[in-house]
Amino acid sequence: MKNFKFYNKHDVLNLTRIRRFETKLGESVQVLPDKTAWETALQQSPAKYVVFGIPEDIGIRANHGTGGADSAWLPFLSAFLNLQSNDFLNGEELLLLGQFNFSDASALIEQNAYSYEEKVDAYRHAVITIDDEVEELTRIITTMGKIPIAIGGGHNNAYPLIKGAAKGLHKAGILPLAQINCINLDAHSDFRPSEGRHSGNGFRYAEEDGYLQKYCVVGLHENYLPQNVWLDIVNNPFLDFITYEDIFILEKRNFIQAVAHATNFTEENYTGIELDMDCIENTLSSAMTPSGISPLHARQYVTLAARESQVAYLHICEGATRLTDGRTNDTTGKLISYLVSDFIKAHEGNGE
């Protein structure tokens, strides 16, 4: 993984604001003591959750989106490491591994592509490199029986997370087939045709390649569901969704019932938990929405999913603190830190 930076204790404490009579997560989370034999060190760590960042917007740009999803990782990390270490969340069950850095690829494309079409093609090709490295790391973590917590980055990373987790759980002897389920809280299906890798078709590639068995989307916006994708979903018994309109406009079922439906649909297999920040109302992202779920709903989703699923991984993506069009929001990182802490507390309370 040539594009990965491992964190040490100095990196963590640089972001942690130490206060007398208090202990912050940054003081109690684990880091790898030895980067040269990092796989052995990771295997020997008692930590159950492995947190890493994928701060890139290459997949989003490859999907004709607005860049900036690379900006959320460090604000998240700063907020997360400064949470209180207490009986609710101690931090010792976490290992902060580090982050990917694909900025060189982005710079190369921006400097050398002659046209918009060439730029999009180059970004789609670059996503394949990201796929390979994220898949490798996810496979190693899950082979060791640990749970990856990946903070993106674009939703293109769902594909290597699904693929890596399926391979890892299979290699560990936990699954008979390299295939997992997925639930996704998202305004979009991200099941667009396999026209070249980007943030809008990660689940399509995972399904076509046989690594994704069942897939359920919660909160899908009817206005942004292509007709061809709609037909693919309704004609496939392994795919399901509950629209935002059915939950909040027509009130056919409430939000908790919708999440319960998704966890029931996927309960027989290990399940990746996905959350796209563009579904949260007025939260900065490439596809920011004025009509979406609340942060409370997002927190309820990760809590219920962690409690009711056989968790393969957690992936929170598409959030930004600064977009390339100039829009900013400094609270995105703090919101992601709430979501990650909710997930860990709920999964720990589940006794897994």
Side-chain angles (χ1 to χ4, degrees), residues 35 104 106 108 113 117 123 139 159 167 200 207 228 231-232 235 245 262 269 271 273 281-282 284 297 340 343:
K35 298 174 187 176
D104 288 349
S106 291
L108 201 63
E117 290 76 16
Y123 274 122
R139 177 182 54 79
Y159 171 60
K167 286 184 173 182
E207 193 267 344
N228 61 333
L231 292 175
D232 287 341
N235 289 316
E245 286 74 15
N269 197 0
T271 300
I273 311 301
E281 194 168 293
N282 297 324
L284 198 65
H297 289 126
V340 173
F343 170 82

Side-chain angles (χ1 to χ4, degrees), residues 27 29 32 34 59 103 111 123-124 131 140 157 194 212-213 230 275 280 285 317 329 342 348 351:
E27 298 174 78
V29 296
L32 290 185
D34 183 4
S103 58
Q111 292 166 10
Y123 274 122
R124 291 183 178 183
D131 286 347
I140 291 168
N157 294 304
S194 46
L212 178 62
Q213 181 184 26
W230 151 260
L275 194 159
I280 306 174
S285 69
C317 61
N329 188 325
D342 287 336
E348 286 292 287

Side-chain angles (χ1 to χ4, degrees), residues 218-219 242-255 258:
V218 178
I242 304 157
T243 68
Y244 177 91
E245 286 74 15
D246 276 352
I247 301 168
F248 296 104
I249 308 301
L250 302 176
E251 297 185 331
K252 292 182 179 180
R253 66 183 91 191
N254 64 36
F255 182 74

Side-chain angles (χ1 to χ4, degrees), residues 128-309:
I128 298 170
T129 299
I130 299 174
D131 286 347
D132 291 343
E133 295 204 23
V134 174
E135 177 202 331
E136 180 187 3
L137 180 59
T138 306
R139 177 182 54 79
I140 291 168
I141 294 169
T142 52
T143 299
M144 296 174 181
K146 303 180 188 300
I147 296 177
I149 297 178
I151 309 300
H155 219 156
N156 43 289
N157 294 304
Y159 171 60
L161 284 163
I162 292 167
K163 187 176 180 181
K167 286 184 173 182
L169 291 168
H170 174 63
K171 185 176 181 181
I174 297 170
L175 294 178
L177 296 172
Q179 194 174 65
I180 64 170
N181 295 339
C182 220
I183 60 175
N184 181 21
L185 184 65
D186 201 338
H188 312 92
S189 68
D190 291 341
F191 205 75
R192 290 180 181 274
S194 46
E195 57 180 340
R197 287 286 292 117
H198 57 65
S199 64
N201 59 20
F203 298 98
R204 169 80 71 171
Y205 274 85
E207 193 267 344
E208 288 184 348
D209 289 350
Y211 297 105
L212 178 62
Q213 181 184 26
K214 284 187 173 182
Y215 175 46
C216 188
V217 189
V218 178
L220 186 64
H221 286 210
E222 294 173 5
N223 291 356
Y224 297 98
L225 177 60
Q227 179 68 11
N228 61 333
V229 174
W230 151 260
L231 292 175
D232 287 341
I233 293 174
V234 297
N235 289 316
N236 189 331
F238 293 97
L239 306 178
D240 200 5
F241 65 90
I242 304 157
T243 68
Y244 177 91
E245 286 74 15
D246 276 352
I247 301 168
F248 296 104
I249 308 301
L250 302 176
E251 297 185 331
K252 292 182 179 180
R253 66 183 91 191
N254 64 36
F255 182 74
I256 301 300
Q257 290 169 333
V259 177
H261 173 87
T263 57
N264 288 337
F265 182 69
T266 56
E267 67 181 352
E268 83 290 345
N269 197 0
Y270 275 77
T271 300
I273 311 301
E274 297 271 348
L275 194 159
D276 189 321
M277 299 291 285
D278 70 18
C279 71
I280 306 174
E281 194 168 293
N282 297 324
T283 296
L284 198 65
S285 69
S286 174
M288 185 174 175
T289 183
S291 177
I293 65 163
S294 69
L296 172 61
H297 289 126
R299 295 184 66 185
Q300 289 176 327
Y301 165 78
V302 295
T303 296
L304 290 169
R307 283 181 179 169
E308 302 299 328
S309 302

